[in-house]
Amino acid sequence: MQAGPTQADRTGAPSPAGHGPAQPLGALASGPLSGRLRPPGDKSISHRALILGLLAKGRTIIGGLLEGDDVLRTAAACGALGARVERLGPGHWQVDGCGIGSLLAPKEILDFGNAGTGTRLMMGLVGGHPITATFDGDASLRKRPMRRILDPLSLMGVQIVSQAEGGRCPITITGSAEPAPIEYRTPVPSAQLKSAILLAGLNSPGRTVVIETEASRDHTEKMLAYFGARISSVPDGPHGRRITLEGRPELKARDVIVPADPSSGSFALVAALIVPGSDVTIEGMMMNPLRIGLITTLLEMGADIQLLNARIEGGEDVADLRVRYSALKGVDVPAARAPAMIDEYPVLAVAAAFASGETRMNGLSELRVKESDRLAAVSAGLEATGISHRIEGDDLIVVGAPTVRGGGMVATHLDHRIAMSFLVLGMASQQSVHVDDAAMIATSYPSFRAQMEALGATFVD
Ligand code: S3P
């Protein structure tokens, strides 16, 4: 099922691809990786820039937007809800917004493909407006839990018109003209959940409060403040935050520069650490403290990562990272760090395979509800490539060794990060590693293969 033509399509942007036939791909053992790369724009910030562009009055110009499938779906949805979305050039987009309270009911189903973030953020947005919309996507998206979003939205007055079993897509909701202001403690640390509530709260006549026990990425809060909302975030408990948003602000269009995605950058980062002799510089990497759990962990493992040119870009901390091949050692990764590296566990498991001793990753229950059951998919991938490991409850323990056999075919289950992580493994293992389907890499990192090849990696179709 595809959404109809959108503003974005008509203006020459790449269209969301949808999932055609599986595209197997293999990575061969590589010589030293070297050179510089700038990963694509951050996926989380790209979604939010488009959405706030839709909600602001005036013209928002975005530079460095990630043109991955997931974000293109959000661009299409913004068009369907009333914005005029145009691509001016590569990564350079403009959004003419319609203002809070003025969204249009979409004429077609909102098809988010593989994108959980787009779906959940947009559910919040629609929930705060008196319009009806249907949300759907691919087989992976249809398995993902949406109850966590529907529960607080119901408290705010959103009607759930229909849903598939277990609160899954396809889901149709009718939003509220006057969403009730709520105070909500999130049961799981999830920026998507927090953001959905805040976006619904934008059109509430009162004050919306979200309390997180473990702080999750704060891009929504930062960008709302940048667009002129009255929003505050204060510590709550040892690791938590209390976020308060005053409803019905007038958001003013702003220019947004999207920094490089640390989650996408993590693949070159780990590849450089595990392929002997490598020396790679990753430029413009976003260093938001709530996104750098992987870097903290790798430094603890003995990684040679130098932070250069620390600066602020687009309101975020950014640095260039010089990364050299390193003898890694196993560590214990605390569960409290999970929100700051939630998407990086598959690639950390790959780094851990090359570290001496055991790496224990604690508290990974949220990995079970990502684009795939990532805990199961990582475990099966490690099994297929000959890496000793075990799962204890929600913890993953990888037993590393300086040389890794590799070989095997890894099942990716429509999950881009599983595909990229195991291709990175293949660059450093004795035998090539193949993944059954690399198509989903286009959701977040369409230039992955080209950028890795430019560093010296070799792939086989
Ligand atoms: C995201 C939040 C995370 C992350 C996802 C992007 C976001 O999900 O896994 O890739 O942009 O808000 P959760 O908030 O559900 O942990």
Side-chain angles (χ1 to χ4, degrees), residues 42-45 47-48 70 116-118 120-121 144 148-149 188-195 212 216-220 263 291 338-339 341-344 366-367 369-371 374 416-417:
D42 185 64
K43 183 154 75 72
S44 295
I45 293 186
H47 284 297
R48 287 156 172 85
D70 281 11
T117 306
R120 290 175 170 145
L121 268 51
R144 300 189 69 183
R148 56 177 64 187
I149 308 294
V188 283
S190 164
Q192 296 177 357
L193 169 54
K194 168 178 63 182
S195 302
E212 300 190 288
S216 64
R217 62 190 70 188
D218 58 359
H219 308 304
T220 301
S263 299
R291 295 289 298 279
M341 55 180 297
I342 193 65
D343 290 334
E344 280 68 79
E366 273 297 295
L367 289 201
V369 292
K370 292 294 173 189
E371 284 82 334
R374 274 191 187 152
H416 54 138
R417 298 199 200 279

Side-chain angles (χ1 to χ4, degrees), residues 150-200:
L150 298 177
D151 284 347
L153 291 184
S154 299
L155 294 175
M156 298 175 92
V158 174
Q159 268 178 271
I160 301 157
V161 178
S162 65
Q163 57 186 299
E165 211 185 316
R168 293 186 156 71
C169 286
I171 292 174
T172 302
I173 60 171
T174 301
S176 166
E178 289 244 317
I182 59 167
E183 179 167 317
Y184 196 79
R185 183 176 282 277
T186 56
V188 283
S190 164
Q192 296 177 357
L193 169 54
K194 168 178 63 182
S195 302
I197 299 167
L198 292 173
L199 290 171

Side-chain angles (χ1 to χ4, degrees), residues 37-40 42 259-270 281-288 291-292 294-295 298 305 307-311 313 316-321 323 344:
L37 86 160
R38 184 181 166 98
D42 185 64
D261 192 325
S263 299
S264 298
S266 70
F267 300 108
L269 172 58
V270 168
T281 299
I282 306 170
E283 294 173 355
M285 187 96 142
M286 179 169 46
M287 298 295 286
N288 179 312
R291 295 289 298 279
I292 55 168
L294 177 72
I295 295 174
L298 291 170
I305 303 173
L307 267 61
L308 307 170
N309 303 322
R311 57 200 185 270
E313 268 180 18
E316 293 282 359
D317 294 325
V318 160
D320 303 330
L321 304 185
V323 189
E344 280 68 79

Side-chain angles (χ1 to χ4, degrees), residues 247-338:
R248 303 210 167 147
E250 175 138 340
L251 298 185
K252 293 202 184 65
R254 301 290 306 261
D255 293 351
V256 179
I257 303 290
V258 183
D261 192 325
S263 299
S264 298
S266 70
F267 300 108
L269 172 58
V270 168
L273 290 173
I274 61 175
V275 175
S278 296
D279 185 348
V280 167
T281 299
I282 306 170
E283 294 173 355
M285 187 96 142
M286 179 169 46
M287 298 295 286
N288 179 312
L290 294 166
R291 295 289 298 279
I292 55 168
L294 177 72
I295 295 174
T296 307
T297 303
L298 291 170
L299 288 170
E300 287 172 2
M301 293 172 82
D304 181 352
I305 303 173
Q306 263 181 287
L307 267 61
L308 307 170
N309 303 322
R311 57 200 185 270
I312 307 269
E313 268 180 18
E316 293 282 359
D317 294 325
V318 160
D320 303 330
L321 304 185
R322 182 170 181 196
V323 189
R324 280 176 277 200
Y325 171 72
S326 304
L328 301 175
K329 61 179 186 339
V331 293
D332 204 283
V333 189
R337 197 178 288 161

